[in-house]
Amino acid sequence: MPMKQRIAVLVSGGGTNLEALLQAQEAGKIPHGEIVLVCASNKDAFALTRAANHNVPALAIHKKGMSQDDFEAALSRAMTEHRIDFIILAGFLSILTENFVRAWPRRIINVHPSLIPSFCGQGMYGLKVHEAALSKGVKVTGATVHYVNEIPDGGEILLQKAVDILPEDSAQTLQRRVMEQAEWLLLPQAAELVAERLTREKGE
């Protein structure tokens, strides 16, 4: 078996998407990759506890009070120290600059809780996305996993999955269904796709 690609998962909050990735990894669904680091931008993020529960190394780089340059420098050091091959943004609410992203060409993926290009862009995250979908009156939403290119909020779409909106939905119930029916399925699939591609490109 070739060497597994080393994955860092960047988080900011509860870590439900991280949990889906860790469970998928333990079920053998990411055979070409291994999550070797969880990095939180908030020292109180419950995602750090989830990582500990799965015996995955974790650290907090608490962004509050740091400049963007210092924050990204600390992130870069952590990625280097853990020999990271690619990064998964899983509920990571801190913006990454073009300088940081450029250093990871087609090696950062992000999950967004809508079918891009709908309901995305500045200020669209979390419940706000689902509130916008309900306000617009659309019948279908979903989730998208995409590469983060040099423009941090844009990039090549990797996977998408549609989810029906029900007449009785609130933003909260819709958010939960999108996670269960799309995000938690797509992220492990995307992780394996990227890990397999990198393994092939490296000739490992």
Side-chain angles (χ1 to χ4, degrees), residues 174-196:
L174 182 57
Q175 180 183 52
R176 183 72 185 185
R177 189 179 314 106
V178 168
M179 288 191 295
E180 291 176 345
Q181 295 185 9
E183 294 180 47
W184 296 348
L185 302 178
L186 293 180
L187 268 175
Q189 293 172 19
E192 173 58 14
L193 284 173
V194 176
E196 193 277 333

Side-chain angles (χ1 to χ4, degrees), residues 110-121 141-147 153-157 159-161:
N110 180 53
V111 63
H112 185 75
S114 77
L115 296 174
I116 291 175
S118 298
F119 310 115
C120 62
T141 185
T144 303
V145 179
H146 63 96
Y147 286 109
D153 63 350
E156 174 190 346
I157 289 175
L159 293 170
Q160 285 188 313
K161 189 174 189 298

Side-chain angles (χ1 to χ4, degrees), residues 27-102:
K29 295 179 180 179
I30 314 175
H32 289 87
E34 180 181 4
I35 298 167
V36 298
L37 177 66
V38 172
C39 185
S41 61
N42 171 9
K43 63 182 175 58
D44 299 317
F46 186 68
L48 296 169
T49 300
R50 293 184 189 274
N53 290 341
H54 290 269
N55 298 310
V56 173
L59 62 89
I61 301 176
H62 195 58
K63 186 178 180 183
K64 188 173 182 180
M66 296 180 75
S67 71
Q68 186 71 23
D69 285 348
D70 287 346
F71 177 67
E72 291 188 353
L75 274 180
S76 294
R77 284 194 299 272
M79 300 304 108
T80 299
E81 288 168 4
H82 289 82
R83 307 189 314 280
I84 298 303
D85 293 300
F86 74 98
I87 297 169
I88 299 174
L89 307 181
F92 188 65
L93 300 181
S94 297
I95 298 297
L96 296 172
T97 66
E98 183 177 331
N99 285 337
F100 184 93
V101 171
R102 190 186 293 119

